[in-house]
Amino acid sequence: GENVEQHPSTLSVQEGDSAVIKCTYSDSASNYFPWYKQELGKRPQLIIDIRSNVGEKKDQRIAVTLNKTAKHFSLHITETQPEDSAVYFCAASKGGSNTGKLIFGQGTTLQVKP
Amino acid sequence: DAGITQSPRHKVTETGTPVTLRCHQTENHRYMYWYRQDPGHGLRLIHYSYGVKDTDKGEVSDGYSVSRSKTEDFLLTLESATSSQTSVYFCAIRGVGTEAFFGQGTRLTVV
């Protein structure tokens, strides 16, 4: 079945720097890759997602890139701010399958130091 | 809140007792999921459902069962709770081709 590996597990950056989180997936049939942000004590919430027919997607300071050949995708946050501090999760799913199974990576704790 | 409610929000139970967590949605979404969240392990899929009475196992299904007799409700049962099942449990819902929305979570402590 699908397996998603996420690195690093923790990341500390200075405010204004960029942060990059990387994920790899095992099932080449996966075609939907969302990223979630979870603030302390709250539920995970979607921040950006990408489908396999697209190589890159941007939304203001956040971007996601996908390399289908290598089966990895990355989250890029530019000009980081203290409010970006949270746990970030990547996930993978076969969007066209009947089951809609959604598997998450282990999470990255991002700390942005003022 | 994206039309998803988990109950209870907090529960303390004794080892060996049965426990049922409920996930209720008002969105008529096809897919429903149960995850557990533990430090260092992220969100691990326990069971999921892709329709009424259609369920399948996830990564960590041992000791858990689920049922979905109506579109809006997805129940997670721990037949005989153990201390290793102390965790935060999240339910999620997802429509076809849409993002997943998470419930507020249930903090379960097994003593």
Side-chain angles (χ1 to χ4, degrees):
Chain A
E2 177 69 277
N3 184 49
V4 178
E5 296 288 332
Q6 183 173 345
H7 298 281
S9 57
T10 60
L11 181 59
S12 181
V13 300
Q14 286 296 134
E15 182 177 359
D17 288 349
S18 295
V20 180
I21 302 171
K22 299 181 179 182
C23 289
T24 60
Y25 60 98
S26 60
D27 191 339
S28 57
S30 291
N31 56 10
Y32 175 65
F33 308 94
W35 285 89
Y36 283 78
K37 176 183 180 182
Q38 185 180 29
E39 296 177 346
L40 191 63
K42 297 191 176 180
R43 75 188 87 186
Q45 292 191 298
L46 182 80
I47 55 171
I48 194 168
D49 56 11
I50 192 168
R51 298 183 189 274
S52 59
N53 58 346
V54 175
E56 183 176 3
K57 184 177 179 180
K58 287 184 180 179
D59 183 2
Q60 299 182 338
R61 296 186 296 109
I62 293 173
V64 57
T65 58
L66 171 64
N67 183 326
K68 287 188 294 182
T69 303
K71 290 190 285 187
H72 70 68
F73 56 113
S74 299
L75 177 71
H76 304 253
I77 306 174
T78 59
E79 300 172 20
T80 54
Q81 301 168 3
E83 51 265 39
D84 293 330
S85 296
V87 180
Y88 292 81
F89 293 98
C90 63
S93 176
K94 286 188 282 193
S97 75
N98 186 51
T99 65
K101 192 173 183 179
L102 186 63
I103 299 296
F104 284 81
Q106 298 87 342
T108 296
T109 300
L110 173 64
Q111 180 187 29
V112 180
K113 297 184 227 179
Chain B
D1 288 354
I4 177 171
T5 306
Q6 288 184 233
S7 59
R9 295 290 316 282
H10 302 272
K11 186 170 182 68
V12 179
T13 191
E14 292 186 350
T15 299
T17 60
V19 177
T20 295
L21 308 183
R22 181 183 184 230
C23 180
H24 178 78
Q25 64 151 325
T26 58
E27 304 298 316
N28 201 36
H29 281 338
R30 177 177 182 179
Y31 305 115
M32 298 186 77
Y33 310 83
W34 277 108
Y35 294 90
R36 61 177 290 174
Q37 183 171 31
D38 306 287
H41 292 279
L43 294 159
R44 292 184 291 176
L45 182 64
I46 305 171
H47 283 279
Y48 61 102
S49 171
Y50 47 96
V52 173
K53 298 186 180 178
D54 289 324
T55 65
D56 202 354
K57 296 179 180 180
E59 307 161 279
V60 289
S61 59
D62 288 348
Y64 301 94
S65 63
V66 290
S67 67
R68 190 173 179 195
S69 59
K70 300 184 290 185
T71 299
E72 56 266 36
D73 289 323
F74 192 33
L75 304 180
L76 176 70
T77 297
L78 291 66
E79 300 291 345
S80 177
T82 67
S83 58
S84 65
Q85 293 176 313
T86 292
S87 187
V88 177
Y89 291 85
F90 282 100
C91 175
I93 61 174
R94 183 179 169 208
V96 176
T98 70
E99 67 183 89
F101 294 95
F102 282 81
Q104 296 168 295
T106 295
R107 184 172 295 277
L108 176 68
T109 303
V110 183
V111 298

